[in-house]
């Protein structure tokens, strides 16, 4: 028996695996197709997608978590009022944590404006915030004296760096691909709905297509005469 080459078999199996969703969509009846279209349109009307909302919640968590750590640092180093005046009013790049807090505020404003308000579908905004955060923290860690101020000299820069890169990963590998997949599904459903509308006759099936003419009277008379002849006794 002749066997197909391995490359050809892999191509055929891959093509067969990529088409089930399309075949399943076209095998659905028009009522189900319309229900799916309405469900997708309802998702668009209700606002941002679920995965994008989760991303915005994580961005908010980023700001709140860095703020909490900064407030704890202010309280540990001699009281909030005294340390706040020292780090904000008498700001020193080499020893203050206030700029790390402002960096979290910068990420929050840019990302919420881009992905919640403007509903941007590109990675450039999160790439900007991550690049600015990474560059600023690297320079600050190299030049500043944070490591001599206790555990917060390590915690705040590392936490800010990690959160910024998690936001980049989450948007690029979760938010954008999932929304693109939902858009493709909507296009497939709409295309299948249009095909079903073209195939189905307008107005559905008419009563005439199921009309069966009644039996003719001539045929019924002949059958009754034959029955009577058969019932007569033979002499």
């Amino acid at each position: 028996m002749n066997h197909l080459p391995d490359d050809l078999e892999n191509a055929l199996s891959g093509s067969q695996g990529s088409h089930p969703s399309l075949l399943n969509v076209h095998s659905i009846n028009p009522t189900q197709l319309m229900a799916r279209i309405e469900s997708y349109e309802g998702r668009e009307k209700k606002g941002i997608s679920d995965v994008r909302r989760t991303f915005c919640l994580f961005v908010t968590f980023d700001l709140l978590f860095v703020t909490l750590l900064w407030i704890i640092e202010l309280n540990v180093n001699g009281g909030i009022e005294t340390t706040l005046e020292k780090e904000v009013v008498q700001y020193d790049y080499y020893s203050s944590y206030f700029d790390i807090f402002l960096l979290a505020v910068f990420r929050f404003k840019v990302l919420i404006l881009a992905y919640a308000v403007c509903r941007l579908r590109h990675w450039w905004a999160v790439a900007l915030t991550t690049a600015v955060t990474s560059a600023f923290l690297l320079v600050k860690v190299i030049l500043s004296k944070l490591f001599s101020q206790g555990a917060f000299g390590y915690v705040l820069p590392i936490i800010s760096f990690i959160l910024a890169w998690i936001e980049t990963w989450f948007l690029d590998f979760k938010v954008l691909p999932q929304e693109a997949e939902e858009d493709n599904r909507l296009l497939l459903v709409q295309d299948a709905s249009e095909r079903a509308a073209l195939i189905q006759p307008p107005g559905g099936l008419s009563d005439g297509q199921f009309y069966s003419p009644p039996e003719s009277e001539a045929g019924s008379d002949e059958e009754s005469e034959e029955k009577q002849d058969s019932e007569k006794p033979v002499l």
Side-chain angles (χ1 to χ4, degrees):
M1 182 182 293
N2 295 328
H3 294 282
L4 292 174
D6 294 339
D7 296 337
L8 182 57
E9 290 182 355
N10 294 333
L12 291 175
S13 60
S15 62
Q16 290 176 357
S18 62
H19 289 299
S21 60
L22 183 60
L23 295 176
N24 292 334
V25 169
H26 285 282
S27 62
I28 301 173
N29 59 47
T31 304
Q32 294 177 341
L33 288 174
M34 293 304 299
R36 289 195 178 185
I37 292 175
E38 290 177 357
S39 65
Y40 283 116
E41 292 177 351
R43 292 177 187 175
E44 295 179 355
K45 290 180 181 179
K46 75 176 182 180
I48 61 178
S49 62
D50 295 336
V51 66
R52 185 179 290 257
R53 188 183 300 108
T54 304
F55 172 77
C56 294
L57 287 176
F58 184 80
V59 172
T60 306
F61 167 78
D62 175 13
L63 175 63
L64 295 178
F65 189 56
V66 173
T67 303
L68 178 64
L69 291 177
W70 183 53
I71 293 174
I72 294 174
E73 183 270 332
L74 292 176
N75 200 14
V76 168
N77 294 333
I80 294 180
E81 295 181 358
T82 304
T83 313
L84 189 63
E85 181 180 358
K86 180 182 177 181
E87 292 195 4
V88 177
V89 180
Q90 303 173 3
Y91 171 75
D92 184 10
Y93 174 79
Y94 298 98
S95 60
S96 178
Y97 296 95
F98 180 60
D99 46 11
I100 298 180
F101 165 73
L102 292 180
L103 201 60
V105 175
F106 165 73
R107 290 196 302 271
F108 175 79
K109 289 185 176 180
V110 172
L111 295 178
I112 293 298
L113 178 64
Y115 297 110
V117 179
C118 299
R119 300 180 187 177
L120 189 68
R121 294 199 172 190
H122 200 273
W123 49 262
W124 68 263
V126 72
L128 174 65
T129 57
T130 303
V132 171
T133 300
S134 301
F136 182 86
L137 291 176
L138 288 174
V139 173
K140 188 173 181 66
V141 167
I142 293 172
L143 300 179
S144 67
K145 304 173 182 178
L146 297 178
F147 295 153
S148 62
Q149 300 182 17
F152 284 97
Y154 299 88
V155 172
L156 273 173
I158 292 174
I159 290 296
S160 298
F161 186 85
I162 292 175
L163 290 176
W165 279 97
I166 290 177
E167 290 167 353
T168 302
W169 172 84
F170 192 81
L171 181 81
D172 199 23
F173 289 93
K174 295 294 182 180
V175 178
L176 299 181
Q178 185 168 336
E179 290 184 346
E181 184 179 357
E182 290 180 356
D183 292 340
N184 291 333
R185 289 177 181 174
L186 177 59
L187 292 177
L188 286 175
V189 171
Q190 289 178 343
D191 180 67
S193 177
E194 293 175 357
R195 291 174 181 269
L198 293 175
I199 295 173
Q200 185 178 6
L205 296 175
S206 61
D207 295 337
Q209 292 176 320
F210 296 100
Y211 174 76
S212 58
E215 296 180 355
S216 61
E217 296 181 357
S220 61
D221 294 341
E222 291 178 356
E223 290 179 357
S224 60
E225 290 179 357
E226 291 178 356
K227 186 177 180 181
Q228 290 177 359
D229 293 338
S230 62
E231 290 178 353
K232 289 180 179 181
V234 180
L235 296 178

